[in-house]
Amino acid sequence: MSSQDLMTQRYGAPRPWRRTAGIATAVALALVGGLFLAWAAWSHATPAAQSELVGFTVTDQHEVVADVQVELSDEASDVQCVLRALAEDKVTVGEAVFTPGGSGRMSVPIRTEREATAVEKVGCTAEGQQRPR
C-alpha cells in the first residue's frame, strides 16, 4: 500500500471542488491585481500637469531665471509648480513655487541666498495628484 493510500485511508480523500475553488480564487485575485496595476500605470503616465525645464540664466548673485515648458490637461485645477536653485556645492539656495496661468513656455525668476549654478525642476502637481518630492 502506498503512502498516498495510507493518507487517504487515515484522513479521507480531498473534496474535488476544493482544487477548482482554489484555482478560481487565484485567477480572480490575479485578474483584480492586474487591472489595478494597469490603472495605476496609466494614471501615473498621464498626469494632469507636466513640466520640463528648458534652460536657465543666472542674472546676478541673488537671482536666476528659469525657462519652463508647462503642459496642463483640461481637467487640471489648482496647479502648482516647484523649481529649486542649487549652488556649486549642490546646496539649495532658492526655491520658487508658482501657479501657471495655462500651458506654454514661461520664465520664472528664483531669488537665491547666493549665486546659483544650476536649477532643478521638482515638478508640477494638480489637485488630487501626488505632490512632487
Side-chain angles (χ1 to χ4, degrees):
M1 188 178 260
S2 73
S3 63
Q4 182 66 34
D5 292 335
L6 288 173
M7 296 292 281
T8 301
Q9 193 177 30
R10 180 177 285 183
Y11 299 109
R15 293 188 169 81
W17 61 268
R18 288 186 75 184
R19 179 178 169 96
T20 305
I23 291 172
T25 301
V27 168
L29 288 174
L31 183 63
V32 168
L35 288 173
F36 175 75
L37 183 63
W39 170 81
W42 179 81
S43 67
H44 284 283
T46 56
Q50 299 181 60
S51 63
E52 185 170 335
L53 180 65
V54 177
F56 65 92
T57 305
V58 178
T59 55
D60 62 38
Q61 285 189 337
H62 297 288
E63 185 181 70
V64 62
V65 177
D67 294 319
V68 183
Q69 180 71 33
V70 177
E71 298 297 326
L72 305 177
S73 70
D74 294 337
E75 301 88 33
S77 65
D78 191 28
V79 178
Q80 285 194 329
C81 299
V82 180
L83 296 169
R84 280 194 194 119
L86 305 171
E88 190 172 5
D89 57 0
K90 307 294 185 226
V91 172
T92 300
V93 293
E95 187 170 277
V97 178
F98 66 98
T99 302
S103 294
R105 189 170 177 167
M106 55 195 65
S107 294
V108 180
I110 306 171
R111 297 290 303 154
T112 62
E113 298 170 1
R114 56 187 165 121
E115 187 172 7
T117 58
V119 174
E120 172 185 46
K121 172 202 71 153
V122 177
C124 292
T125 58
E127 187 174 305
Q129 188 178 339
Q130 282 187 339
R131 294 285 179 217
R133 295 177 187 187

